[in-house]
Amino acid sequence: MKKIVYLPLDERPCNYSFVRFLSEHNKKFKLVQPSLEEMGNKKQPAKYEKIKNFLLRESVDADYLIIAIDTLLYGGIIPSRLHHHSTETLLARLELLKEIKQLNPKIVIYGFSLVMRCPCYSDSDEEPDYYGVCGLQIFEYGQNEHRLKDGKISREQYLVEKERLSVVEPYLNDYLTRRECNLKVLMDALNLVGQTIDEFVILQDDSNPCGFTAMDQAKVKALISEKNLNVVVYPGADEGGMTLLSRVVTNIEGYSPKIYPVYPKEECKKVIPLFEDREVYKSILAQIESAGCVQCDSEEQADILLFCNLPVGGRTQNIDNLQGEHYDNRDLPAFVSRIKRAVEVGKGVAVADIAYCNGSDARFVKMISEQVGLLKLFGYAGWNTSSNTLGTVICQAALRYFYGDTEAHRRFTALRAFEDIGYCAYVRKQIWDNEITQMGYKYEDTKVQKGEVSERVEQLLNWYMAKNFPEITGMYEIENCYLPWCRMFEVGLIIKQK
């Protein structure tokens, strides 16, 4: 068996557990990753020495290394926005990849990293403390700099806006010093591509076309072009480990599955997802190719049909805004009928439920469950951003193509149903709107991972899923329910067969 070493982007299930779940029950490779004790905890970074020891210990006899560069350097995705490391310290940490390659010249290194984001709102939950006071102003400050640089505003307009935003200047030195440091180290990582790092992907956690992040992304793309590197930059973040797992597996198998995207209507492909900066068909192509697959030109050629649930025109909306003419015009019954026919004739069918951000389109998925069966699909996902969902379902579908209808595959589908449909599309909002403050907690602070809130989540999840998705609850149940970062945005679930 091939050995894959995996260093996740952080300790949340989407980064830490999903890749492990998908890797179970196959005869071609085994996957090893750090223990949770070796990982960090939200704003608390993983200890570099522990990560270093893990990588040196496990990579010496490995065939592949999938590595989140941000975890190696900073200790995780959130610590990358908070650290005070010098550029010299971080570049020294990057040298570890060369040491790994020297100790094991045959290892193939697949790396991924992010351009540091700049959210367009004031919230310190995942940013420095001062971002809760003036995050929006820092974002606007970056937009003002970018517009002047691009000649979109006059010098006079720029100075007026800069004066308005002068309130953020006490914090800018800290913020911009970190941005400059992170960009320098990312550019140095790019210089390793083709030598130490065999394949590299850069994900855009923030796809706003104007501001600090966009200016950094332009510099990254310029270096890629200058050096003629085979590196793609596209929206995404927490699906990165799954995408590269799929890429490794296609390398192991020596074949790239052919995937054909299918839309409710042709104009759906030009929808721009919430939080992203381009028509969705461009991101779909990037996700397919980054996963080691190829996009083909017809259903007949395809190994996998990727049914993409999207509105007709406009932008996608958040899961708490279930309305709009561009959603009504999809003709979901006809779309589900196409899914049913494809499954009946033996096609591999996966469903990317990207009509809404931050949760599944429950009405659509219930139709699939009742008319087709979720457990007959090659993959299903519908969580957080469009790109998170796409990377998840493409990886699951690729592994299903190669390794068949394993227990790991079915259990992962059940997990997606409990989490994406049950929690993200229903339970989270119900508790947030009606119960969390009465229980004495906040949406962003449940105090503990397992306690009164997680117990209520599990209770409501069991009720909702049994009522609406008996296909799933007839075979699977929740073994463990917790809140990884002691907040309500994400849930941690372990699902077991009854």
Side-chain angles (χ1 to χ4, degrees), residues 350-368:
V351 174
D353 195 358
I354 50 179
Y356 298 98
C357 280
N358 289 315
S360 298
D361 184 347
R363 180 169 68 99
F364 166 67
V365 192
K366 189 173 182 180
M367 292 167 64
I368 297 175

Side-chain angles (χ1 to χ4, degrees), residues 5 59-60 62-65 100-101 104-109 198:
V5 177
S59 295
V60 69
D63 298 283
Y64 298 92
L65 169 61
I100 289 171
K101 203 79 166 183
N104 181 4
K106 73 177 179 67
I107 195 170
V108 182
I109 299 178
D198 296 274

Side-chain angles (χ1 to χ4, degrees), residues 302-448:
D303 300 306
I304 300 164
L305 298 178
L306 181 63
F307 284 81
C308 301
N309 181 27
L310 285 156
V312 182
R315 291 183 69 95
T316 60
Q317 296 169 183
N318 199 51
I319 191 63
D320 58 1
N321 188 12
L322 303 176
Q323 59 184 343
E325 184 179 351
H326 54 304
Y327 282 91
D328 297 336
N329 291 338
R330 287 176 293 173
D331 194 356
L332 288 183
F335 195 47
V336 173
S337 292
R338 291 181 68 183
I339 294 173
K340 182 178 181 181
R341 288 195 300 271
V343 170
E344 288 174 345
V345 300
K347 276 288 187 181
V349 171
V351 174
D353 195 358
I354 50 179
Y356 298 98
C357 280
N358 289 315
S360 298
D361 184 347
R363 180 169 68 99
F364 166 67
V365 192
K366 189 173 182 180
M367 292 167 64
I368 297 175
S369 182
E370 293 172 347
Q371 298 181 38
V372 183
L374 288 171
L375 295 173
K376 292 182 180 179
L377 300 177
F378 269 42
Y380 171 80
W383 65 285
N384 209 353
T385 70
S386 171
S387 289
N388 291 155
T389 285
L390 288 165
T392 305
V393 72
I394 290 169
C395 177
Q396 185 187 8
L399 269 65
R400 168 64 177 83
Y401 174 80
F402 287 119
Y403 305 126
D405 190 17
T406 65
E407 167 54 25
H409 164 74
R410 293 190 297 276
R411 185 159 48 90
F412 192 75
T413 301
L415 174 65
R416 301 269 48 78
F418 271 99
E419 183 173 345
D420 301 358
I421 311 167
Y423 184 74
C424 294
Y426 180 77
V427 170
R428 178 172 57 195
K429 181 174 173 55
Q430 290 299 310
I431 296 178
W432 183 10
D433 286 353
N434 305 308
E435 301 181 37
I436 193 73
T437 54
Q438 291 89 327
M439 295 169 72
Y441 302 98
K442 299 177 182 178
Y443 177 83
E444 66 278 5
D445 186 8
T446 62
K447 305 299 182 184
V448 293

Side-chain angles (χ1 to χ4, degrees), residues 155-407:
R155 183 75 182 174
E156 292 73 20
Q157 290 172 310
Y158 165 78
L159 291 173
V160 169
E161 181 69 354
K162 187 173 182 179
E163 175 62 25
R164 182 182 77 84
L165 297 169
S166 61
V167 63
V168 306
E169 289 184 353
Y171 305 109
L172 273 180
N173 183 59
D174 174 77
Y175 184 77
L176 294 180
T177 298
R178 187 174 301 109
R179 287 206 70 92
E180 182 181 359
C181 175
N182 289 12
L183 179 62
K184 171 70 169 67
V185 179
L186 178 55
M187 301 285 247
D188 272 67
L190 279 171
N191 287 325
L192 300 179
V193 175
Q195 303 169 45
T196 303
I197 302 175
D198 296 274
E199 300 195 33
F200 197 50
V201 170
I202 296 178
L203 301 173
Q204 297 180 183
D205 190 27
D206 174 358
S207 296
N208 196 295
C210 183
F212 286 128
T213 304
M215 288 189 285
D216 285 353
Q217 288 165 357
K219 294 174 184 176
V220 168
K221 291 176 182 178
L223 181 62
I224 291 170
S225 177
E226 175 191 329
K227 291 184 170 292
N228 195 29
L229 299 175
N230 184 25
V231 175
V232 291
V233 183
Y234 61 90
D238 294 327
E239 82 290 347
M242 288 177 280
T243 297
L244 291 187
L245 173 65
S246 176
R247 196 155 164 176
V248 168
V249 167
T250 61
N251 189 296
I252 291 171
E253 297 295 336
Y255 180 72
S256 297
K258 297 188 289 293
I259 298 179
Y260 182 75
V262 183
Y263 305 93
K265 294 185 177 180
E266 189 63 18
E267 53 265 47
C268 294
K269 67 192 299 181
K270 294 190 176 182
V271 166
I272 299 176
L274 197 62
F275 310 122
E276 298 187 8
D277 63 351
R278 65 199 69 187
E279 294 95 336
V280 70
Y281 77 91
K282 296 178 182 177
S283 294
I284 290 170
L285 175 60
Q287 290 278 356
I288 288 171
E289 292 182 343
S290 286
C293 303
V294 294
Q295 181 170 311
C296 61
D297 297 326
S298 70
E299 294 188 26
E300 292 71 29
Q301 296 174 343
D303 300 306
I304 300 164
L305 298 178
L306 181 63
F307 284 81
C308 301
N309 181 27
L310 285 156
V312 182
R315 291 183 69 95
T316 60
Q317 296 169 183
N318 199 51
I319 191 63
D320 58 1
N321 188 12
L322 303 176
Q323 59 184 343
E325 184 179 351
H326 54 304
Y327 282 91
D328 297 336
N329 291 338
R330 287 176 293 173
D331 194 356
L332 288 183
F335 195 47
V336 173
S337 292
R338 291 181 68 183
I339 294 173
K340 182 178 181 181
R341 288 195 300 271
V343 170
E344 288 174 345
V345 300
K347 276 288 187 181
V349 171
V351 174
D353 195 358
I354 50 179
Y356 298 98
C357 280
N358 289 315
S360 298
D361 184 347
R363 180 169 68 99
F364 166 67
V365 192
K366 189 173 182 180
M367 292 167 64
I368 297 175
S369 182
E370 293 172 347
Q371 298 181 38
V372 183
L374 288 171
L375 295 173
K376 292 182 180 179
L377 300 177
F378 269 42
Y380 171 80
W383 65 285
N384 209 353
T385 70
S386 171
S387 289
N388 291 155
T389 285
L390 288 165
T392 305
V393 72
I394 290 169
C395 177
Q396 185 187 8
L399 269 65
R400 168 64 177 83
Y401 174 80
F402 287 119
Y403 305 126
D405 190 17
T406 65
E407 167 54 25

